[in-house]
Amino acid sequence: MTPFPPSLERVITSLEKLPGIGKKTARRLGFFLLTAEKEYVLEMAQALQDLTKYIQFCEICHSIAEGSLCEICQDPHRDRGTICVVEEPADIFIFERTGFKGLYHVIGGVLSPLDGVGPDDLNLQDLVKRAAEAREIILAINASIEGETTTLFLTQLLADQNVKVTRLARGLPVGGNLEYVDDLTISRSLTERVSVTDG
Amino acid sequence: MTPFPPSLERVITSLEKLPGIGKKTARRLGFFLLTAEKEYVLEMAQALQDLTKYIQFCEICHSIAEGSLCEICQDPHRDRGTICVVEEPADIFIFERTGFKGLYHVIGGVLSPLDGVGPDDLNLQDLVKRAAEAREIILAINASIEGETTTLFLTQLLADQNVKVTRLARGLPVGGNLEYVDDLTISRSLTERVSVTDG
């Protein structure tokens, strides 16, 4: 028997469904919210409602937007000739931190026959169309097995287009110590070694 | 620059204020909620609103309740002669798991001169009144330094009342290996040793 009042129980049950939040953490957060300032809890509730109301997907790049186009696709200062292809909207914000000034294209996942994800389940149709008008397509898919397969698939898909296709470099992380880097990365850093002299 | 759409940004900012949730986790949860089912997100929002609307403090024991009395104080099957004194409402649910059948009294914290918490800041007035009608008061305050001070203070406060006052036993945790138990606990387990023969 856990005689939590029903409204607290419902908050805890909701929190439990969040990824990485277990039963104990959900309870702790529930009791925190119970004694937290009313304004804060109500603001969180309102923000969640607004999230379901206002967020949609950008018609051009399939990233998230409040409106039919995302801020990046609307921005006249971006380099419209370079398109960075990513898996998820969250990835965009990682590249934004680097100061990348091109556009993006969110394919919405990776090819995964085991999970029943085929080419038709990804946003590829309009990627081909967009590629026709671009100078360079950067494939910025994760370096997982499915990700590598997807990168290969996209490379072939875009081969007929008159566009330069690149992918992210693989190698040692900046500041990485050889001792702590996994063998596969070491091996990739050897294969993709870069010349430092003109000799 | 992080061009998250405003409603996503607000959800992330709210989540960041939860204890133990950092910037990265808040972002991850924000993106999870973004792609989660609408019904789930709206249910979470509704539960939070209801939490601020319906939860109040029980007039008898100061625990949380939906209404003026909590479920435990309303329950006619509880032993009304035994009152377990705890710091916070969350503590009640720990003792409920043990099958304890008495009532509770939430004092709402511990004495802490450094944090400016004195006897007047705790729910002690009506504890004395309730003690007058009880057989036994169990002091179930945490074994922290402030907690021990509070237990001592409550012992003196209740000394004049015609009521048995007990506190939780200190000793080895059940299943605990001597090797891994701290010295203070070992020392307490010696002081509070229990006779096992009649000799």
Side-chain angles (χ1 to χ4, degrees):
Chain A
M1 174 189 148
T2 47
F4 294 128
S7 54
L8 175 60
E9 189 70 54
R10 278 172 55 214
V11 167
I12 294 176
T13 310
S14 284
L15 291 170
E16 260 177 34
K17 290 185 192 150
L18 291 172
I21 305 284
K23 228 183 177 66
K24 280 207 169 177
T25 308
R27 276 192 196 173
R28 194 166 48 81
L29 296 179
F31 275 98
F32 170 82
L33 288 165
L34 197 66
T35 48
E37 276 185 46
K38 230 175 193 168
E39 289 72 38
Y40 162 57
V41 182
L42 289 176
E43 155 61 19
M44 187 186 286
Q46 189 62 51
L48 287 167
Q49 282 172 345
D50 289 353
L51 192 70
T52 65
K53 213 187 292 174
Y54 298 126
I55 293 278
Q56 33 182 292
F57 292 99
C58 173
E59 286 174 4
I60 297 179
C61 74
H62 305 281
S63 177
I64 48 175
E66 292 192 358
S68 55
L69 293 181
C70 75
E71 282 186 41
I72 293 172
C73 286
Q74 281 183 68
D75 186 346
H77 302 297
R78 312 284 301 208
D79 169 14
R80 311 193 85 77
T82 311
I83 297 172
C84 180
V85 178
V86 294
E87 285 176 37
E88 304 290 348
D91 297 335
I92 289 182
F93 302 99
I94 298 172
F95 287 101
E96 282 298 287
R97 292 205 300 269
T98 69
F100 176 73
K101 283 292 167 217
L103 300 182
Y104 295 93
H105 189 90
V106 178
I107 57 173
V110 282
L111 294 175
S112 175
L114 287 179
D115 299 322
V117 182
D120 293 342
D121 301 308
L122 303 177
N123 304 316
L124 300 184
Q125 289 269 331
D126 47 356
L127 173 61
V128 178
K129 270 183 225 144
R130 291 184 75 192
E133 290 162 19
R135 283 193 322 278
E136 179 176 354
I137 302 282
I138 304 170
L139 302 175
I141 311 293
N142 280 310
S144 62
I145 295 186
E146 289 89 355
E148 297 277 10
T149 312
T150 309
T151 299
L152 199 66
F153 180 86
L154 291 175
T155 310
Q156 292 165 347
L157 184 75
L158 297 169
D160 298 340
Q161 305 294 320
N162 184 23
V163 66
K164 185 177 171 187
V165 181
T166 55
R167 66 159 172 73
L168 294 183
R170 316 271 186 238
L172 298 184
V174 175
N177 190 314
L178 277 174
E179 198 178 346
Y180 302 117
V181 177
D182 64 289
D183 293 351
L184 211 57
T185 302
I186 297 273
S187 154
R188 291 299 288 262
S189 77
L190 262 180
T191 318
E192 300 192 16
R193 65 191 181 277
V194 171
S195 167
V196 286
T197 64
D198 298 329
Chain B
M1 174 189 151
T2 47
F4 295 128
S7 52
L8 176 60
E9 189 71 53
R10 278 171 56 215
V11 167
I12 294 176
T13 310
S14 284
L15 291 169
E16 259 178 34
K17 290 185 191 149
L18 291 171
I21 305 285
K23 229 185 176 66
K24 279 208 170 176
T25 309
R27 274 191 198 175
R28 194 166 47 81
L29 296 179
F31 275 99
F32 169 83
L33 288 165
L34 198 64
T35 48
E37 275 184 47
K38 230 173 193 170
E39 289 71 38
Y40 162 57
V41 181
L42 289 176
E43 155 60 18
M44 186 186 286
Q46 190 61 50
L48 288 168
Q49 282 171 346
D50 290 351
L51 193 70
T52 65
K53 212 187 291 176
Y54 298 126
I55 294 278
Q56 31 183 293
F57 293 99
C58 173
E59 286 174 5
I60 297 180
C61 73
H62 305 281
S63 176
I64 48 174
E66 292 193 359
S68 56
L69 293 181
C70 75
E71 282 187 41
I72 293 172
C73 286
Q74 281 183 68
D75 187 344
H77 302 296
R78 312 285 300 208
D79 169 14
R80 311 193 87 75
T82 311
I83 297 172
C84 180
V85 178
V86 295
E87 286 176 37
E88 304 289 348
D91 297 334
I92 288 182
F93 302 100
I94 298 172
F95 286 101
E96 282 299 287
R97 292 205 300 269
T98 69
F100 175 73
K101 283 293 167 218
L103 299 182
Y104 295 93
H105 189 90
V106 178
I107 57 172
V110 283
L111 294 174
S112 175
L114 286 178
D115 299 323
V117 182
D120 294 342
D121 301 309
L122 303 177
N123 305 316
L124 301 184
Q125 290 269 331
D126 46 356
L127 172 61
V128 178
K129 271 184 225 142
R130 292 184 74 191
E133 292 163 17
R135 284 192 320 279
E136 179 176 355
I137 302 282
I138 304 169
L139 302 175
I141 311 291
N142 279 311
S144 62
I145 296 186
E146 289 88 356
E148 297 277 11
T149 312
T150 309
T151 299
L152 199 66
F153 180 86
L154 291 175
T155 310
Q156 292 166 347
L157 184 75
L158 298 169
D160 299 339
Q161 306 293 321
N162 184 23
V163 66
K164 184 177 170 188
V165 181
T166 54
R167 65 158 173 71
L168 295 182
R170 316 271 185 237
L172 298 185
V174 175
N177 190 314
L178 277 172
E179 198 177 348
Y180 302 118
V181 177
D182 64 289
D183 293 351
L184 212 56
T185 302
I186 297 272
S187 157
R188 290 298 286 262
S189 77
L190 262 181
T191 318
E192 300 191 16
R193 66 190 180 277
V194 170
S195 170
V196 285
T197 63
D198 297 330

